[in-house]
Amino acid sequence: MKYDFFKLQFTEKETNPGKTAVAGSDTDMSWSRLQKISERLKVIFRETGVPEGHPVMIYGHKEAFYAAALLACIHSGVTYIPADVIYPEERLRRIQAQTGSQVIICCRETSLAEHFSISISSTLEVTRHRTPCFEKAVYAPGGERLQYIMFTSGSTGEPKGVQITRNNVLTFLKWALHDFPFNGLDVFMNQVPFTFDVSLCDILLAFSHGATLVLNAADVVKEQDKFMERLARYQCTVWTSTPSFVFLFMRHASFNPDYLKSLRTFFFMGEDLPNRTCKNLRKVFPDCTILNAYGPTEATIVTTLVEITDAILDKYPSLPIGYPMPDSRLFLLKEDETQDSGELVISGPHVSPGYFKNEAQTARKFFNNQGLQAFKTGDLSYFADGMFFYLGRNDDQVKMHGFRIELHEISSTLCRNPLVEEAVTVPLKRGHEVKKIISFVILKNNTNAQECKEKLQEFLKDTLPYYMVPGDIIPVGAFLYNNSHKIDKNRMIEDYLITHGL
């Protein structure tokens, strides 16, 4: 049994209907049960009068019902807003106020429900708190069916909604089903919150292939022994995460093919993939495929893909982010055409129509390019050997004492030193002025921190221009991470300032 997102129907219904479709944090759900919930929710949407283009909020974490509710929204042509328990209720109420959402699907009990006109429980009970008013909250940017609105952090303090249409999703899926090496026998490990589109990649691929999706709650992930045991028990074949996330498990005793016998693919996205991380993975899992993908939320999950082979590892100290998807056009905006690098622009039918009710920000970041919607990523890149390479964010390029400094280059240089496992470099600013460059490093083995700092300073003086050598190098046991398992540079800066009384 599987789901056809193009035809919006379940297919091959007689094939393994009892097979596990979703292993949630609370319970397992078969394919036949997944179908029944999807069809029942479709009826509920019709009976409650939810119009096409009205956003329905889904609230929960990693319950099996969450994945079913998400599929039901797609199946029913209903726009959805993913919401997670990791966010404070106040933030979610602001999102509700922005969108005018009248309906919430509750995968667990929450006081949020009473703020919506209609709430739907995980037992499919419908509660009418008041008469819904849908008329003023129906959205179809450019006349296209809106599939979901994913809210990210906004620079103004207000959540910023990225609008993704059904056509955006299908454009991604057409490519993924053709070029991504997965099938119905796969078991996808899913741990990123549903409020980040990395998690949607697993859902679309697992349901399209008739595979199994294993959802892992944050509390289980934090207890590494339980997480490893869960992956082994469900015989996960595909590990999808940011590179930072896999790094957390590199030294775990069970992180090896003898324990994780079924694992065959590491699928990375959401962050720069260090060469050293891949080499370490290759040593531990020599028979596994390593895939590197890249793409902002505004371009529907990912836009480039490459398999990281031994030849690529040996040839490129900084790994490529890959080859562009078909029907897309990627190019570089350069200040000077003599430059090799520039800001990466993505254009194609998978690019978002813009930010929700934010015309000013949409105008700054999106534009029409030869008839295709285009998005300025804010990422610096260069093109070589038919592939794109990531150089860091625009805001990773800072200016200090009149010199332009690429923070990503400092981190990459540190990672080439045999003492260093991982590195991240940040600027300390006063207002808009950069006062100091700080590098945080995770050292290999239990080497003396002070001696390493001195050696690394000397190493950088020999390999970088003097103005790029950090003012301080801080050995740490681990980096701090945000909810999407990306390195939380802001918290690391805050901790540094507190520790040093600044």
Side-chain angles (χ1 to χ4, degrees):
M1 200 167 180
K2 61 178 67 173
Y3 188 78
D4 189 325
F5 287 92
F6 297 87
K7 296 180 180 179
L8 295 179
Q9 63 185 26
F10 288 85
T11 62
E12 302 179 22
K13 298 178 185 179
E14 305 304 318
T15 305
N16 293 327
K19 176 182 174 179
T20 298
V22 184
S25 60
D26 52 346
T27 188
D28 291 355
M29 182 181 292
S30 68
W31 270 95
S32 60
R33 178 63 179 160
L34 177 65
Q35 181 188 11
K36 287 178 182 178
I37 291 174
S38 296
E39 299 294 357
R40 178 57 189 149
L41 279 171
K42 185 176 183 178
V43 171
I44 289 173
F45 292 145
R46 184 172 63 248
E47 291 176 342
T48 52
V50 179
E52 182 177 307
H54 178 79
V56 171
M57 184 175 285
I58 307 175
Y59 177 83
H61 185 50
K62 287 295 179 182
E63 302 86 358
F65 186 74
Y66 200 125
L70 192 155
L71 178 61
C73 287
I74 297 175
H75 182 59
S76 308
V78 168
T79 303
Y80 70 89
I81 304 168
D84 198 284
V85 299
I86 62 175
Y87 294 114
E89 183 176 309
E90 188 270 338
R91 174 186 170 88
L92 299 180
R93 289 186 64 184
R94 280 157 57 198
I95 291 174
Q96 182 201 11
Q98 281 188 51
T99 60
S101 177
Q102 300 291 298
V103 182
I104 185 170
I105 301 174
C106 303
C107 303
R108 60 174 68 187
E109 289 188 9
T110 172
S111 58
L112 266 177
E114 63 190 39
H115 297 287
F116 289 75
S117 298
I118 298 172
S119 60
I120 305 169
S121 73
S122 60
T123 57
L124 299 175
E125 294 179 12
V126 180
T127 303
R128 287 179 174 267
H129 302 280
R130 63 193 65 85
T131 302
C133 181
F134 295 116
E135 288 74 19
K136 295 182 180 180
V138 175
Y139 311 106
E144 289 196 60
R145 179 190 293 180
L146 195 58
Q147 190 61 79
Y148 61 84
I149 309 172
M150 193 160 287
F151 281 85
T152 62
S153 298
S155 58
T156 63
E158 285 297 313
K160 181 173 64 178
V162 179
Q163 302 177 105
I164 298 296
T165 68
R166 170 167 164 76
N167 186 55
N168 292 154
V169 174
L170 294 184
T171 299
F172 163 77
L173 199 51
K174 178 183 177 182
W175 170 49
L177 292 178
H178 185 270
D179 286 359
F180 293 17
F182 305 121
N183 58 57
L185 298 178
D186 278 314
V187 180
F188 291 81
M189 181 277 287
N190 178 287
Q191 45 76 37
V192 177
F194 291 124
T195 47
F196 299 94
D197 60 351
V198 170
S199 66
L200 184 59
C201 186
D202 298 325
I203 294 174
L204 294 174
L205 291 171
F207 290 167
S208 291
H209 286 295
T212 297
L213 182 70
V214 179
L215 307 179
N216 299 277
D219 57 345
V220 172
V221 171
K222 288 177 181 176
E223 297 188 45
Q224 293 194 353
D225 290 344
K226 287 185 178 180
F227 181 56
M228 289 290 108
E229 187 277 328
R230 186 170 170 82
L231 299 190
R233 175 157 46 95
Y234 283 100
Q235 300 181 344
C236 288
T237 63
V238 182
W239 175 298
T240 306
S241 77
T242 62
S244 295
F245 182 79
V246 78
F247 182 79
L248 298 173
F249 296 88
M250 294 289 281
R251 297 177 183 175
H252 193 278
S254 298
F255 190 71
N256 59 71
D258 292 330
Y259 189 77
L260 300 176
K261 294 180 171 60
S262 301
L263 197 58
R264 69 180 186 88
T265 304
F266 287 95
F267 191 16
F268 294 118
M269 60 187 77
E271 264 185 339
D272 183 39
L273 178 59
N275 185 295
R276 182 165 290 172
T277 297
C278 284
K279 284 183 176 177
N280 289 338
L281 270 179
R282 182 70 74 207
K283 290 177 184 176
V284 181
F285 292 91
D287 297 325
C288 280
T289 298
I290 300 175
L291 301 175
N292 191 27
Y294 161 86
T297 301
E298 290 86 346
T300 315
I301 308 176
V302 292
T303 298
T304 65
L305 178 74
V306 63
E307 179 182 348
I308 304 300
T309 62
D310 289 336
I312 285 179
L313 280 173
D314 292 339
K315 185 174 182 179
Y316 304 108
S318 295
L319 296 176
I321 55 177
Y323 302 94
M325 68 184 292
D327 301 323
S328 68
R329 180 171 180 258
L330 278 63
F331 58 94
L332 305 174
L333 288 180
K334 303 176 182 179
E335 293 182 6
D336 183 342
E337 283 304 315
T338 62
Q339 292 178 319
D340 293 328
S341 62
E343 180 182 5
L344 182 59
V345 175
I346 299 173
S347 65
H350 63 304
V351 174
S352 163
Y355 297 115
F356 182 76
K357 289 186 176 180
N358 194 334
E359 293 181 4
Q361 185 69 359
T362 295
R364 282 194 291 270
K365 298 290 287 184
F366 294 88
F367 64 99
N368 184 284
N369 174 58
Q370 299 178 11
L372 294 174
Q373 180 76 336
F375 174 68
K376 300 175 185 176
T377 64
D379 293 326
L380 296 174
S381 178
Y382 69 93
F383 185 75
D385 299 332
M387 298 180 288
F388 285 90
F389 292 74
Y390 179 75
L391 289 173
R393 292 286 300 165
N394 259 349
D395 49 19
D396 275 351
Q397 185 185 81
V398 299
K399 202 167 187 178
M400 190 169 71
H401 306 314
F403 295 103
R404 284 187 178 180
I405 298 173
E406 296 282 0
L407 302 178
H408 186 74
E409 183 179 354
I410 299 173
S411 300
S412 296
T413 302
L414 280 166
C415 286
R416 293 204 295 269
N417 187 285
L419 295 173
V420 177
E421 190 73 50
E422 294 288 339
V424 61
T425 302
V426 299
L428 288 189
K429 296 181 178 180
R430 182 177 298 157
H432 295 292
E433 184 182 2
V434 176
K435 307 299 291 186
K436 190 177 186 180
I437 303 295
I438 307 294
S439 289
F440 297 92
V441 296
I442 296 175
L443 300 173
K444 286 187 175 181
N445 306 319
N446 295 317
T447 48
N448 183 280
Q450 186 56 41
E451 288 183 10
C452 283
K453 284 180 64 171
E454 295 172 359
K455 290 179 180 178
L456 291 175
Q457 287 281 5
E458 290 302 316
F459 168 73
L460 291 180
K461 288 176 183 177
D462 291 338
T463 52
L464 292 174
Y466 73 91
Y467 56 84
M468 291 184 67
V469 177
D472 204 353
I473 297 176
I474 308 298
V476 294
F479 296 142
L480 299 176
Y481 298 93
N482 59 23
N483 290 322
S484 60
H485 298 294
K486 294 183 181 181
I487 297 171
D488 196 330
K489 296 178 182 179
N490 289 331
R491 283 178 58 204
M492 295 176 76
I493 291 172
E494 290 172 7
D495 284 3
Y496 179 87
L497 294 174
I498 292 171
T499 301
H500 291 78
L502 300 175

